[in-house]
């Protein structure tokens, strides 16, 4: 037709745009693929790239092709079964239905084959893509390792439930889904072709069509037999009983019911296949009806009757064996079966002499008076130096500094390009110039200057120190905030650090990054990052290196996507270099009989320790739990990815910490699963809680805290993570848990339990006593009213000898500037509470000894909240004492006494007024 070319020209621009978009999208995907390959190759783990890719592709291809072949094969078979001659039915309505179907058939007939092929292909693509994402399930099943623990119900190794059962469940669900979709689609094709005519009683189904559908339905019934078989093993995850796992009803009612249903489903499958040789659907209808009745009566009603009339009246006796299984499995799955329980007297006999004993000096010397969340504000004010630097997190570690082992706070000074000024946020600055952070800050946990601010062991830019803790390579190219890509070793110098009125520059000389190379590689990176500037910039040379995937979490997840990472990476100074540490967990939600956490997992191990060099990005994953079967399976899948723990240098091993996320999970489980007697467990009569859990503030409970201390009856001090316990719904303490982090006994957990016949105050009770103390409360009120606010640090629960001492730092912060100053230290022991300017003074006040010890004094605050190191003059001290007495009299209702003290206070203030108006000798000249 003459108009056809013109009509096509109208659509030409749209077609060109669509083609360009498709080419660009495809090119970007290819660029990402190739540059990812370069990245893995640069790290020396190209095998991880190909293993992950081929596993996903093979799983997707197998399941996608199998779905396509089965669906499309049945649809093609249905088309071949279409009747050549259609017999017109009798009756007006039936004739109208036949005509309507015939008209629809006539309209679709030219396109039916193409529609069936395209629909099958699209569905197969979706199914294959979904199955490809489940590749870890299949690889774990193929590389399953034995746990060496036998399931108490079915006598199988736990590895069957953790590795094989998830893959079998996926296969069963996939088969049922494929058969259901194919059966419905096949029936629709038969209906369209006229082989099924439900309005025709005489010839509703062609014989061959009935046979086709009978086979498909029979396969569904047979697959359901397999499904019931899997459900018998999945009773180990049943929530029916008091705890997770097969309960009395599951074992003695549900399990027999499932076996009966297997037989019924198998008979239904046979009936459907046999029905091919019989007319009508009577036989399969009867079989399916019997199946439905059995599913209701045997599968649901019978277990409910057993539960109601056999178990509920005798629940303790009936469920006790199954509760015992749950207790043992849960403790084993969360690595709590090796917890050592020790008695702790929690006595109130501690003396001043005990505090000075050598075995307690390490504990008191390393009391953490700086809360990490609070000291971070001071770090930002004092040590960020420039607005584009950032301290993302403050971590706790221990070092041997000048021969003395000390607990310290440490934070890396990272560069955050998002904090550059708007004018400076150019592509060149963000990707070529501002490429790295610089140095770290270290301060002792117990030290404060005269004005209450942190004292630094390592500080400033470049890093300076008066100790042997030195940083020789301070540049930070990899960290928590390095989320953008940078191109290093260009002809443009990189900003290194500020130097007075000028800046110091450098050119990257590390080994990290992918070489830019020639034009083709530059084009690939330009496509990957969507920036033509990479292709056009004259600063970029062939030997320049592209550093991407620089954030710690992204870096590790690319290498080991099967690991669950701890939320708190931490940094350490090792042999002069800044090193990042991450903890990786292997987990499962299929450990039989184990009670899951709120996150759904019911098995966890801290099997992998990861280090990342902040300068050159060297990433090493250490296999730290050789007994973990899940880790063993992954090592089979990715050989060469993980290094043995024995290859970790001692200098690195010295900075390992017991991870806080794991400890939280274990403490949360242990507060219930320390009860090992089924009857006690059933009654929950000895259930514990974390202090503050479920409270009005946030309900999350007290945070675990790191301490460097000597445990009771242990030979040396150790770096520990610990948390106290209270009875459920009570505030008194009942015990505490500690996990060791030093190399000699890393991971060993100890629980100390208190005598139950005596009350030991818990953290919340101690906090209440502090707030109600007649001496402390007025001072807090005054400080909060004078342009400043009082901040409480973490309340530390410290075992000293056979007693518990509570220590809490107190800070003052001005309203205008977020720079908290350590102002007071609160010590509580037995029925005594004291708040003094430093820890030695507070301990002396409580235990009756002269103040002494290594802790530097925080500043003495004035009434306005400013710190001053000198003692109060006599008149000021008298005014303070009179004010306190007046408040005490007011609380006691002694108004006469209150009036007398206020009168005396007025006289003292009158005496002070003239003194405040006089100028001290020499003060004017000093003011100038």
């Amino acid at each position: 037709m003459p108009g056809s070319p013109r009509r096509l020209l109208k659509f030409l621009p749209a077609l060109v745009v669509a083609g360009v978009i498709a080419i660009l999208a495809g090119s970007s995907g290819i660029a990402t693929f190739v540059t990812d390959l370069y990245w893995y190759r640069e790290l020396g783990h190209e095998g991880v790239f190909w293993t992950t890719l081929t596993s996903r592709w093979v799983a997707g291809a197998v399941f996608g092709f199998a779905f396509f072949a089965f669906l499309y094969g049945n649809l093609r078979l249905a088309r071949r079964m279409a009747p050549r001659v259609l017999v017109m039915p009798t009756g007006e309505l039936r004739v109208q239905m036949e005509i309507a179907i015939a008209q629809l058939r006539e309209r679709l007939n030219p396109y039916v084959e193409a529609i069936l092929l395209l629909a099958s292909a699209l569905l197969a693509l979706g199914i294959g893509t979904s199955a490809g994402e489940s590749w870890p399930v299949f690889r774990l099943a193929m590389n399953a390792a034995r746990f060496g623990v036998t399931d108490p119900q079915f006598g199988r190794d736990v590895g069957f439930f953790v590795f094989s059962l998830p893959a079998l469940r996926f296969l069963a669900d996939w088969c049922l889904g494929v058969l259901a979709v194919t059966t419905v689609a096949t029936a629709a094709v038969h209906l369209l072709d006229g082989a099924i005519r439900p309005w025709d009683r005489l010839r509703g189904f062609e014989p061959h069509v009935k046979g086709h559908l009978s086979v498909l339905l029979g396969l569904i019934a047979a697959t359901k037999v397999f499904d019931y078989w899997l459900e018998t093993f999945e009773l180990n995850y049943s929530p029916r009983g008091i705890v997770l796992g097969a309960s009395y009803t599951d074992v003695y009612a549900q399990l027999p019911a499932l076996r009966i249903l297997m037989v019924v489903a198998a008979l239904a499958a046979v009936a459907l296949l046999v029905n091919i040789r019989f007319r009508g659907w009577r036989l399969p209808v009867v079989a399916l009806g019997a199946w439905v009745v059995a599913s209701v009566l045997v599968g649901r009603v019978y277990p409910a009757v057993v539960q109601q009339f056999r178990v509920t009246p005798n629940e303790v006796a009936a469920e006790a064996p199954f509760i015992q299984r749950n207790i043992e499995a849960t403790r084993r799955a969360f690595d709590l079966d090796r917890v050592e329980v020790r008695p702790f007297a929690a006595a109130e006999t501690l003396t001043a002499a005990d505090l000075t004993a050598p075995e307690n000096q390490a504990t008191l010397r390393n009391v953490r008076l700086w809360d990490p969340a609070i000291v971070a504000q001071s770090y930002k004010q004092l040590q960020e130096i420039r607005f584009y630097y950032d301290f993302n997190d403050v971590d706790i570690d221990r070092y041997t500094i000048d021969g003395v082992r000390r607990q310290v706070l440490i934070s890396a000074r990272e560069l955050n390009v998002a904090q550059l000024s708007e004018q400076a946020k150019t592509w060149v600055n963000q990707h070529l110039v501002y490429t790295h952070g610089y140095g770290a800050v270290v301060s002792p946990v117990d030290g404060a200057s005269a004005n209450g601010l942190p004292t630094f062991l390592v500080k400033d830019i470049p890093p300076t120190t008066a100790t042997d803790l030195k940083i020789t390579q301070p540049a930070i190219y990899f960290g928590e905030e390095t989320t953008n890509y940078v191109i290093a070793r260009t002809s443009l110098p990189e900003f290194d650090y500020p130097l007075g009125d000028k800046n110091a520059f450098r050119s990257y000389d590390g080994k990290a990054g992918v070489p830019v190379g020639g034009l083709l590689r530059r084009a690939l990176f330009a496509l990957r990052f969507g920036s033509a500037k990479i292709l056009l910039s004259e600063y970029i040379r062939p030997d320049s290196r592209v550093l991407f995937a620089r954030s710690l979490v992204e870096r590790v997840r690319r290498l080991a996507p099967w690991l669950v990472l701890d939320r708190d990476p931490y940094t350490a100074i090792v042999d002069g270099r800044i090193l990042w540490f991450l903890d990786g967990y292997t987990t499962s939600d299929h450990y039989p009989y184990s009670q899951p956490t709120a996150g759904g997992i019911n098995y966890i191990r801290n099997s992998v320790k990861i280090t990342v060099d902040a300068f050159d990005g060297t990433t090493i994953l250490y296999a730290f739990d050789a007994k973990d079967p899940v880790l063993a399976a992954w090592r089979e899948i990715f050989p060469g990815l993980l290094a043995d723990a024995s290859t970790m240098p001692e200098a690195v091993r010295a900075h390992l910490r017991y991870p806080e996320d794991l400890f939280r999970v274990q403490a949360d489980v242990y507060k219930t699963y320390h009860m090992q007697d089924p009857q006690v467990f059933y009654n929950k009569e000895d259930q514990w809680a974390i202090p503050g859990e479920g409270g009005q503030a946030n309900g999350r409970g007290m945070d675990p805290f790191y301490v460097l201390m000597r445990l009771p009856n242990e030979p040396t001090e150790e770096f520990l993570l610990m948390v106290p316990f209270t009875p459920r719904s009570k505030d008194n303490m009942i015990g505490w848990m500690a996990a060791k982090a030093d190399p000699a006994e890393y991971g060993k957990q100890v629980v100390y339990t208190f005598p139950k016949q005596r009350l030991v105050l818990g953290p919340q009770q101690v906090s209440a006593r502090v707030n109600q103390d007649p001496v402390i409360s007025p001072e807090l009120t005054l400080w909060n009213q004078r342009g400043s606010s009082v901040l409480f640090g973490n309340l530390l629960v410290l075992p000293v000898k056979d007693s518990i001492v509570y220590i809490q730092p107190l800070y003052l912060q001005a309203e205008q500037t977020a720079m908290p100053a350590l102002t007071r230290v609160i010590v509580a022991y037995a029925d005594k509470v004291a708040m003094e300017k430093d820890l030695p003074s507070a301990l002396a006040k409580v235990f009756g000894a002269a103040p002494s010890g290594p802790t530097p004094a925080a500043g003495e605050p004035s009434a306005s909240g400013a710190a001053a190191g000198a003692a109060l003059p006599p008149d000021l001290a008298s005014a303070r004492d009179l004010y306190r007495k007046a408040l005490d009299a007011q609380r006691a209702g002694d108004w006469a006494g209150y009036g007398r003290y206020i009168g005396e206070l007025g006289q003292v203030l009158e005496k002070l007024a003239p003194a405040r108006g006089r100028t001290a000798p020499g003060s004017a000249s000093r003011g100038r």
Side-chain angles (χ1 to χ4, degrees):
M1 292 187 296
S4 296
R6 291 183 180 179
R7 284 199 298 268
L8 289 175
L9 286 174
K10 293 180 181 179
F11 296 103
L12 185 59
L15 291 173
V16 170
V17 171
V20 170
I21 292 174
I23 291 171
L24 288 176
S27 301
S28 178
I30 293 171
T32 300
F33 175 88
V34 175
T35 52
D36 274 346
L37 177 58
Y38 292 156
W39 185 87
Y40 282 95
R41 188 175 292 165
E42 182 256 329
L43 262 69
H45 292 300
E46 186 177 344
V48 174
F49 176 81
W50 289 115
T51 299
T52 303
L53 205 63
T54 54
S55 298
R56 180 179 287 111
W57 284 358
V58 168
V62 168
F63 283 95
F65 180 77
F67 178 86
F68 174 81
F70 190 80
L71 175 61
Y72 188 65
N74 275 279
L75 296 180
R76 289 288 300 156
L77 180 61
R79 290 287 290 164
R80 291 184 180 182
M81 291 181 177
R84 297 182 180 180
V85 179
L86 295 176
V87 179
M88 188 63 67
T90 59
E92 183 178 353
L93 180 60
R94 296 173 184 174
V95 170
Q96 289 177 354
M97 292 290 295
E98 190 72 47
I99 292 173
I101 293 293
Q103 290 174 345
L104 180 62
R105 184 185 310 121
E106 184 177 354
R107 291 176 184 174
L108 295 179
N109 200 48
Y111 314 105
V112 168
E113 295 295 338
I115 290 173
L116 295 181
L117 179 61
L118 182 60
S120 299
L122 290 176
L123 285 172
L125 180 62
I127 293 292
T129 302
S130 176
E133 295 303 315
S134 299
W135 67 267
V137 175
F138 313 124
R139 291 305 304 264
L140 284 174
M142 294 166 60
N143 295 273
R146 290 183 58 83
F147 273 72
V149 178
T150 303
D151 159 60
Q153 180 58 43
F154 299 100
R156 288 177 176 262
D157 186 83
V158 168
F160 167 79
F161 296 88
V162 173
F163 299 120
S164 303
L165 191 57
L168 294 174
R169 169 48 61 195
F170 181 94
L171 187 61
D173 292 343
W174 182 85
C175 288
L176 284 172
V178 170
L179 286 167
V181 170
T182 302
T183 301
V184 172
T186 300
V189 171
H190 281 309
L191 179 65
L192 183 65
D193 286 339
I196 297 178
R197 297 185 298 279
W199 52 86
D200 190 344
R201 294 181 180 178
L202 296 177
R203 298 182 60 85
F205 287 87
E206 296 291 334
H208 50 280
V209 173
K210 189 187 77 170
H212 190 186
L213 295 179
S214 293
V215 170
L216 290 175
L217 292 172
L219 289 175
I220 290 176
T223 304
K224 194 60 184 173
V225 175
F226 178 54
D227 182 73
Y228 284 139
W229 181 72
L230 293 180
E231 285 186 27
T232 61
F233 296 110
E234 289 169 344
L235 289 176
N236 276 349
Y237 314 116
S238 170
R240 189 198 301 269
I242 301 298
V243 291
L244 187 87
S247 64
Y248 182 96
T249 300
D250 292 317
V251 171
Y252 295 106
Q254 195 67 53
L255 182 58
L258 287 172
R259 289 169 175 167
I260 292 171
L261 289 175
M262 287 171 59
V263 174
V264 173
L267 293 175
V270 172
L272 284 162
L273 296 176
V274 169
N275 190 59
I276 296 173
R277 295 187 171 274
F278 293 90
R279 295 187 62 181
W281 292 89
R282 182 175 301 173
L283 182 60
V285 166
V286 171
L288 292 173
W291 187 3
V292 171
V293 171
S295 297
V296 174
L297 294 180
V298 178
R300 294 183 179 275
V301 175
Y302 174 60
V305 169
V306 171
Q307 179 70 28
Q308 182 67 29
F309 297 103
R310 172 66 182 88
V311 176
T312 302
N314 310 282
E315 197 165 40
V316 178
E319 297 289 9
F322 306 102
I323 293 174
Q324 186 65 45
R325 293 179 181 182
N326 174 270
I327 292 172
E328 293 175 359
T330 302
R331 289 172 61 90
R332 191 182 303 116
F334 288 95
D335 204 20
L336 296 171
D337 54 328
R338 296 181 292 116
V339 171
E340 182 181 348
V341 180
R342 302 174 184 174
F344 189 81
E348 297 181 356
T349 57
L350 199 64
T351 64
D354 293 325
L355 299 183
T356 58
E359 62 268 19
N360 297 321
Q361 279 298 294
T363 300
L364 298 177
R365 185 174 60 244
N366 287 284
V367 171
R368 177 162 58 82
L369 299 181
W370 284 104
D371 183 73
I374 291 177
V375 78
Q377 301 175 50
S378 297
Y379 277 18
K380 289 177 181 292
Q381 293 289 336
L382 299 173
Q383 283 291 311
E384 278 188 352
I385 311 296
R386 293 290 187 271
F387 56 86
Y388 39 75
Y389 286 126
D390 194 14
F391 292 108
N392 182 66
D393 186 29
V394 177
D395 298 304
I396 303 170
D397 202 355
R398 70 286 196 198
Y399 290 81
T400 300
I401 301 174
D402 295 336
V404 179
R405 197 164 188 232
R406 304 189 67 179
Q407 189 177 4
V408 302
L409 300 163
I410 180 170
S411 186
R413 187 186 290 106
E414 298 192 65
L415 189 144
N416 188 342
V417 293
Q419 295 178 184
L420 290 172
S421 65
E422 290 301 319
Q423 296 83 354
K425 288 182 180 178
T426 64
W427 181 85
V428 170
N429 276 344
Q430 293 185 83
H431 300 289
L432 305 186
V433 177
Y434 291 93
T435 57
H436 59 279
Y438 203 86
V441 170
V442 182
S443 64
V445 296
D446 60 329
S449 64
N451 55 3
L453 297 176
T455 57
F456 294 104
L457 300 171
V458 178
K459 63 180 180 177
D460 297 340
I461 298 177
T464 60
T465 179
T467 70
D468 56 2
L469 184 61
K470 301 184 184 301
I471 302 177
T472 57
Q473 180 50 269
I476 301 174
Y477 284 84
F478 300 85
E480 294 184 84
E481 296 192 37
T482 50
T483 55
N484 66 323
Y485 73 92
V486 297
I487 303 175
R489 204 178 297 171
T490 65
S491 60
L492 190 67
E494 300 172 43
F495 168 75
D496 201 21
Y497 59 88
L499 188 62
D501 295 335
K502 300 179 181 179
N503 292 327
F505 294 91
R506 71 172 300 154
S507 180
Y508 182 66
D509 56 354
K511 62 182 181 180
V514 178
V516 170
L519 185 62
L520 178 59
R521 280 200 176 191
R522 290 181 71 165
L524 290 171
F525 283 116
L527 284 168
R528 178 193 180 99
F529 298 116
S531 176
K533 297 180 181 67
I534 296 177
L535 197 59
L536 303 175
S537 176
E538 296 180 358
Y539 298 123
I540 300 175
R541 308 181 309 213
D543 64 332
S544 298
R545 304 182 77 85
V546 183
L547 282 66
F548 61 101
R550 297 190 300 141
S551 89
L552 305 175
V553 172
E554 181 185 4
R555 198 167 185 83
V556 175
R557 281 180 176 165
R558 280 169 163 262
L559 291 172
W562 40 274
L563 282 176
V564 176
L565 297 180
D566 191 89
R567 291 173 295 176
D568 185 24
Y570 62 98
T571 188
I573 301 170
V574 180
D575 295 333
R577 301 177 73 91
I578 297 174
L579 208 62
W580 293 98
F581 289 74
L582 297 91
D583 286 280
Y585 307 119
T586 50
T587 63
S588 176
D589 56 1
H590 276 78
Y591 198 98
Y593 271 104
S594 176
Q595 197 75 24
T597 64
I601 64 167
N602 66 355
Y603 173 88
I604 187 170
R605 290 292 186 275
N606 177 210
S607 297
V608 180
K609 299 285 187 180
I610 305 129
T611 61
V612 180
D613 190 289
F615 177 68
D616 63 22
T618 299
T619 305
I620 305 176
L621 288 78
Y622 295 96
F624 234 74
D625 188 347
K627 297 180 180 179
D628 178 22
V630 179
L631 180 65
W634 283 116
R635 295 190 76 177
E636 287 291 322
I637 298 169
F638 294 107
L641 173 62
L642 288 96
D644 290 333
S646 59
T647 64
M648 177 181 283
E650 288 302 318
V652 175
R653 190 183 293 267
H655 293 282
L656 295 181
R657 302 191 318 187
Y658 198 86
E660 192 172 336
D661 281 352
L662 174 62
F663 190 71
R664 287 179 187 274
V665 169
Q666 290 178 316
D668 189 64
V669 173
Y670 193 81
K671 67 189 185 186
T672 299
Y673 282 85
H674 71 277
M675 299 179 288
Q676 300 187 56
D677 180 88
Q679 184 165 354
V680 174
F681 187 97
Y682 175 85
N683 294 322
K684 298 293 189 295
E685 59 190 62
D686 190 27
Q687 191 171 18
W688 295 351
I690 307 295
E693 194 171 38
Q696 295 180 357
N698 53 32
R700 59 175 287 193
M702 185 176 181
D703 290 326
F705 52 92
Y706 291 99
V707 291
L708 183 60
M709 60 171 286
R710 178 183 291 192
L711 288 174
N713 301 317
E714 294 281 350
T716 59
E717 71 268 13
E718 299 171 276
F719 191 58
L720 309 165
L721 182 60
M722 62 176 292
V723 71
F725 291 114
T726 64
R728 183 169 60 93
S729 302
K730 300 291 182 182
D731 291 331
N732 59 291
M733 268 184 69
I734 195 67
W736 52 280
M737 171 185 268
K740 299 185 178 184
D742 285 343
E745 292 188 290
Y746 179 86
K748 182 178 180 180
Q749 292 166 286
V750 184
V751 170
Y752 290 85
T753 57
F754 298 169
K756 295 183 180 180
Q757 64 272 18
R758 192 160 53 81
L759 180 71
V760 179
L761 292 181
Q764 287 185 294
Q765 292 170 323
V766 171
S767 295
R769 288 187 57 189
V770 169
N771 289 323
Q772 296 168 4
D773 186 83
V775 176
I776 297 174
S777 180
E779 294 198 40
L780 299 181
T781 303
L782 278 175
W783 288 333
N784 273 317
Q785 294 175 351
R786 300 297 183 94
S788 60
S789 58
V790 175
L791 303 177
F792 285 97
N794 287 340
L795 178 63
L796 303 179
V797 184
L798 293 181
V800 179
K801 197 179 176 182
D802 58 353
S803 300
I804 290 293
V805 178
Y806 290 92
I807 299 175
Q808 185 172 34
L810 184 147
Y811 316 91
L812 279 186
Q813 178 175 281
E815 292 179 355
Q816 296 82 6
T817 305
M819 190 164 61
L822 177 61
T823 304
R824 290 289 187 271
V825 178
I826 300 169
V827 172
Y829 174 73
D831 59 347
K832 300 176 183 177
V833 178
M835 183 176 74
E836 296 296 326
K837 62 182 180 179
D838 55 36
L839 180 59
S841 300
L843 290 171
K845 190 74 173 288
V846 170
F847 293 98
S852 62
T855 305
E860 176 79 9
S862 65
S864 64
L872 288 174
D875 286 341
L876 285 177
S878 176
R880 181 193 61 187
D881 294 340
L882 287 169
Y883 175 74
R884 291 174 177 174
K885 291 177 180 178
L887 288 177
D888 290 342
Q890 183 186 41
R891 291 192 194 94
D894 181 9
W895 298 106
Y898 175 76
R900 184 174 67 256
Y901 291 132
I902 290 295
E904 294 177 12
L905 175 61
Q907 295 174 7
V908 173
L909 293 176
E910 287 294 333
K911 290 171 59 179
L912 287 171
R916 291 179 60 84
R918 294 192 298 267
T919 303
S923 63
S925 62
R926 286 196 298 270
R928 295 190 187 97

